[in-house]
């Protein structure tokens, strides 16, 4: 499985960005996908995750501001980020896993994107 991420950049506080993660290869094996981020000097943290059936989970820090979605037909996962704060600044990664509901257990995601910088 290959993951290609796009959509990062710089935005003012209060603004919006949308990240995309296109996945290819043995996509039939993918049952859960997630967004993670890592700020300088901090550990990688889970932000949002979605199962193939559309069920989702969010970190408390982004609830109500971020929305994760999955277009199974196009094999693309999205992260819509609104009301961005300076503390959202980080490198964002998308990840794919074969087990449903792994949510933010990074060790359960075998496939990762290259990462994209989001600066608020």
């Amino acid at each position: 499985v290959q993951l290609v991420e796009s959509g990062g950049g710089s935005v003012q506080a209060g603004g919006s960005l949308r990240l995309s993660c296109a996945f290819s290869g043995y996509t039939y094996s993918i049952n859960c996908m997630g967004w993670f981020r890592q700020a300088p000097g901090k550990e990688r943290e889970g932000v949002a995750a979605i199962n193939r059936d559309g069920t989702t989970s969010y970190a408390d820090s982004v609830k109500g501001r971020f929305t994760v979605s999955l277009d199974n037909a196009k094999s693309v996962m999205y992260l819509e980020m609104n009301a961005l704060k300076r503390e959202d600044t980080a490198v964002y990664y998308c990840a794919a896993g074969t087990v449903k509901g792994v949510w933010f257990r990074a060790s359960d995601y075998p496939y990762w994107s290259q990462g994209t910088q989001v600066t608020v």
Side-chain angles (χ1 to χ4, degrees):
V1 175
Q2 294 79 43
L3 305 176
V4 178
E5 191 177 355
S6 60
S10 296
V11 64
Q12 291 186 341
S16 300
L17 278 176
R18 187 176 79 160
L19 303 182
S20 300
C21 177
F23 51 100
S24 60
Y26 290 104
T27 59
Y28 68 89
S29 66
I30 300 304
N31 286 297
C32 187
M33 297 190 72
W35 289 98
F36 291 77
R37 66 186 181 187
Q38 188 166 19
K42 295 188 177 181
E43 294 186 354
R44 186 173 298 189
E45 62 173 350
V47 175
I50 185 168
N51 286 322
R52 280 280 201 183
D53 62 7
T55 52
T56 59
S57 183
Y58 295 92
D60 288 342
S61 58
V62 306
K63 279 181 182 177
R65 300 189 297 121
F66 289 13
T67 302
V68 60
S69 60
L70 181 62
D71 187 331
N72 284 306
K74 295 182 178 180
S75 296
V76 181
M77 177 179 63
Y78 301 98
L79 183 67
E80 187 75 37
M81 304 185 291
N82 298 313
L84 282 161
K85 305 175 180 180
R86 293 189 67 177
E87 51 264 43
D88 294 318
T89 296
V91 176
Y92 283 71
Y93 302 86
C94 62
T98 58
V99 179
K100 179 182 176 181
V102 294
W103 300 137
F104 303 138
R105 296 195 299 270
S107 59
D108 286 331
Y109 287 92
Y111 309 109
W112 291 82
S113 68
Q114 77 282 6
T116 189
Q117 178 70 45
V118 171
T119 302
V120 183

